């Protein structure tokens, strides 16, 4: 199990325009050949947008993009005609496939924090698609078959335990609170990369919210 702390992430964004980013994997100017991916996950970015700030239209291709809002409201618009407001508890997925363009903004009055995870597809190309699941229930798995991956959202009370899925690659990200995983205490923004996970449990040290990626390859 490889634990990565929140403070170890690469800083990014443009604070002067209200955008602050933290990158858990090699990203943009922060190139690290030893930190390119884990399983299907090739990026895990925490984005903080001030009211009125955002990312202007930009392209993506051959990437499964899954977004989880921590607080605030994210306005999404894309070249396929989708326009939605994503809130805490919603799972948003944009399959960029052969190519798509999108805009991401904080059009609300409060600060916005979201986590965006990029996964490599099993096969490149195809037609773009978009999906949003409103208010996903605890422990309800969300499948991303294009990347051979499954997302589990776990909400734990203090002292509550949950099994971590067994798998060749399991990526655990703490969004809120503190948990104990395999003897390690993890706080907000901390993550763990577990190879050949088997019989692992997570325990809430405080009320906590955890995102777990289960990947076969």
């Amino acid at each position: 199990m490889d634990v990565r702390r929140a403070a170890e992430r690469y800083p990014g964004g443009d604070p002067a325009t209200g955008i602050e980013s933290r990158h858990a994997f090699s990203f943009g100017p922060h190139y690290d050949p030893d930190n390119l991916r884990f399983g299907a996950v090739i990026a895990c970015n925490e984005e903080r947008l001030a009211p009125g700030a955002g990312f202007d239209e930009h392209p993506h291709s051959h990437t499964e993009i899954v977004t989880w809002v921590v607080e605030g409201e994210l306005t999404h618009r894309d070249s396929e005609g989708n326009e939605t407001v994503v809130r805490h508890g919603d799972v948003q997925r944009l399959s960029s496939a052969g190519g798509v363009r999108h805009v991401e903004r904080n059009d609300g009055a409060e600060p916005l924090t979201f986590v965006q995870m990029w996964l490599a597809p099993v096969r490149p190309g195809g037609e773009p698609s978009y999906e949003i699941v409103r208010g996903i229930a605890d422990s309800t798995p969300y499948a991303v078959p294009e990347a051979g991956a499954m997302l589990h959202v776990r909400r734990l009370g203090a002292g509550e335990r949950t099994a971590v899925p067994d798998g060749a690659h399991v990526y655990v990200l703490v969004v809120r609170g503190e948990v104990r995983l395999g003897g390690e205490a993890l706080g907000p923004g901390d993550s763990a990369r577990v190879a050949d996970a088997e019989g692992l449990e997570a325990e809430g040290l405080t009320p906590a919210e955890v995102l777990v990626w289960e990947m076969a390859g």
Side-chain angles (χ1 to χ4, degrees):
M1 186 172 79
D2 180 8
V3 172
R4 305 288 178 111
R5 300 296 177 181
E8 298 175 43
R9 297 175 296 180
Y10 312 113
D14 185 355
T17 65
I19 301 173
E20 294 189 23
S21 305
R22 293 293 182 272
H23 305 294
F25 290 82
S26 181
F27 198 91
H30 299 287
Y31 178 68
D32 181 352
D34 297 322
N35 191 23
L36 296 178
R37 66 186 290 171
F38 179 75
V41 180
I42 55 177
C44 181
N45 304 331
E46 180 183 283
E47 307 288 0
R48 296 177 180 265
L49 303 184
F55 299 100
D56 294 332
E57 188 175 79
H58 57 281
H60 288 280
S61 61
H62 313 305
T63 311
E64 299 296 315
I65 303 169
V66 178
T67 304
W68 180 262
V69 170
V70 181
E71 62 179 359
E73 297 184 345
L74 170 64
T75 298
H76 164 96
R77 292 190 295 275
D78 63 45
S79 54
E80 296 293 297
N82 300 297
E83 181 168 351
T84 53
V85 176
V86 189
R87 301 176 178 87
H88 179 247
D90 301 339
V91 173
Q92 175 187 257
R93 180 183 62 84
L94 177 63
S95 179
S96 61
V100 71
R101 302 180 67 85
H102 73 157
V103 175
E104 297 165 299
R105 296 195 55 79
N106 179 7
D107 289 335
E110 301 297 326
L112 164 66
T113 302
F114 65 94
V115 177
Q116 191 165 88
M117 297 153 288
W118 298 6
L119 284 74
V122 176
R123 299 176 189 82
E127 293 298 318
S129 63
Y130 179 81
E131 182 177 41
I132 183 165
V133 177
R134 299 289 189 187
I136 192 166
D138 184 45
S139 298
T140 300
Y142 177 77
V144 184
E146 295 84 356
M150 188 91 72
L151 175 65
H152 303 264
V153 179
R154 299 286 168 86
R155 302 175 181 96
L156 299 173
E160 187 178 353
R161 296 172 178 266
T162 184
V164 173
D166 295 344
H169 293 93
V170 174
Y171 185 73
V172 180
L173 172 67
V174 179
V175 177
R176 303 166 183 263
E178 297 182 357
V179 303
R180 181 180 288 113
L181 180 73
E184 292 276 358
L186 305 179
D190 290 349
S191 61
R193 307 174 190 189
V194 187
D196 300 320
E198 186 176 351
L200 196 61
E201 278 192 333
E203 177 187 2
L205 299 176
T206 67
E209 184 173 79
V210 183
L211 303 180
V212 180
W213 282 105
E214 171 191 358
M215 296 166 281

